Amino acid sequence: MSMATECGRTSITKRHLVTTVGVLTNFGGASMLDGDQRRVTFLDRVPSHRRSDLVSRGRPARFASRQVLFQQGEPGNHVYLLRTGRVKVVRIEPDGRTTLLAVRVGGDLIGETSVLDGRDRSATVTALAPVTAHRFGADEFHRAMEECRLAPDLMRYVTGRLRESDELRAEMAVLPVRARLARTLIRLTNSCGSVRGDEVWIEVSQDDLAQAVGASRNMIVKELTHLRGEALVRTGRRLVVLRDLPRLHRIATDRA
């Protein structure tokens, strides 16, 4: 992996960005520390010759930024295949805590779990930016998976997300806030980040970071202050800029 040093700190190459994000993000069921993986959406798994058929079966849908796609507790009677934009998946826990479970992007499925198991929505999904999607009723979704022969691809996609949830719960139990924050920032490079020179800009609020990390907002502010003092990040309104991804990677893998 090639890296250059500039102005006394490590410069981020695009290859290092891809490798680091892959190492720390469970995409497609790979372990978070399992090597060079990239984020795989459901649509990535669909063979190219079947994508047009799949998309044509859904009804186009659009959502404005901050619009709710569905609420936790609602019946799960439809699925969205995201095409553009991004959404956040948030769960209200029994003790009243709010947990940011994931940020999903174009190519991801939203709401498939409730359609598969017949239970109510387990989380609320809200658009973080304007979203275009295709809506499938429950019967339409099952028929599309069968007739497009996508059941194995759906199983791998759902299994990967279950593994991701398991690893996130394990992180909450054993890792310090500093390491969890570093991992969360690296994960978000895929869904909310853009490479600008040797930095990665992530559009995220401190409240959303707190929900994703499983810590108080005050704790996130404190840890971001430390990271700023170490020249690892810069912050702005709903913005965190990663300045040294290799060092953040070392923090993310430190269990001390």
Side-chain angles (χ1 to χ4, degrees), residues 11-229:
S11 175
I12 303 169
T13 66
K14 288 186 178 180
R15 167 151 179 82
H16 188 76
L17 171 62
V18 171
T19 301
T20 302
V21 171
V23 165
L24 285 175
T25 314
N26 174 12
F27 294 133
S31 167
M32 285 187 182
L33 300 175
D34 238 5
D36 191 1
Q37 303 286 329
R38 76 174 185 87
R39 193 185 193 291
V40 178
T41 69
F42 176 71
L43 204 57
D44 288 331
R45 296 184 178 280
V46 176
S48 57
H49 64 281
R50 292 179 181 158
R51 290 179 188 171
S52 295
D53 186 14
L54 172 64
V55 169
S56 69
R57 294 166 181 260
R59 284 170 284 175
R62 292 180 179 273
F63 300 92
S65 181
R66 300 187 182 181
Q67 187 173 353
V68 174
L69 280 70
F70 45 70
Q71 292 272 8
Q72 182 175 334
E74 290 179 346
N77 52 21
H78 60 278
V79 176
Y80 289 112
L81 172 62
L82 302 183
R83 297 309 307 272
T84 63
R86 60 184 186 275
V87 301
K88 66 177 179 180
V89 184
V90 174
R91 177 180 173 84
I92 306 298
E93 305 295 349
D95 61 3
R97 289 182 298 111
T98 301
T99 302
L100 175 63
L101 300 177
V103 175
R104 303 299 180 196
V105 299
D108 278 320
L109 289 175
I110 298 295
E112 80 287 349
T113 302
S114 292
V115 165
L116 292 173
D117 66 15
R119 300 173 67 179
D120 291 342
R121 304 293 190 192
S122 60
T124 296
V125 176
T126 306
L128 290 171
V131 167
T132 62
H134 293 274
R135 185 186 189 277
F136 297 81
D139 291 340
E140 295 169 332
F141 181 71
H142 287 298
R143 191 180 309 114
M145 294 302 102
E146 179 180 354
E147 294 180 358
C148 295
R149 301 180 181 178
L150 297 177
D153 303 295
L154 177 63
M155 182 179 298
R156 283 190 289 269
Y157 179 74
V158 172
T159 300
R161 286 180 35 167
L162 290 174
R163 287 179 181 270
E164 181 179 352
S165 296
D166 288 344
E167 294 203 11
L168 288 173
R169 283 193 290 269
E171 283 183 12
M172 296 284 190
V174 302
L175 293 180
V177 172
R178 178 178 169 88
R180 299 203 310 266
L181 175 59
R183 286 184 173 221
T184 298
L185 290 171
I186 291 171
R187 284 193 191 96
L188 289 174
T189 58
N190 269 294
S191 51
C192 305
S194 59
V195 178
R196 303 190 184 187
D198 62 351
E199 297 179 332
V200 183
W201 290 40
I202 300 175
E203 298 178 23
V204 62
S205 70
Q206 292 181 353
D207 286 335
D208 283 343
L209 275 179
Q211 293 170 10
V213 172
S216 68
R217 187 178 186 279
N218 287 341
M219 183 64 74
I220 295 302
V221 171
K222 177 181 176 181
E223 291 297 339
L224 285 174
T225 299
H226 291 325
L227 294 177
R228 279 199 307 268

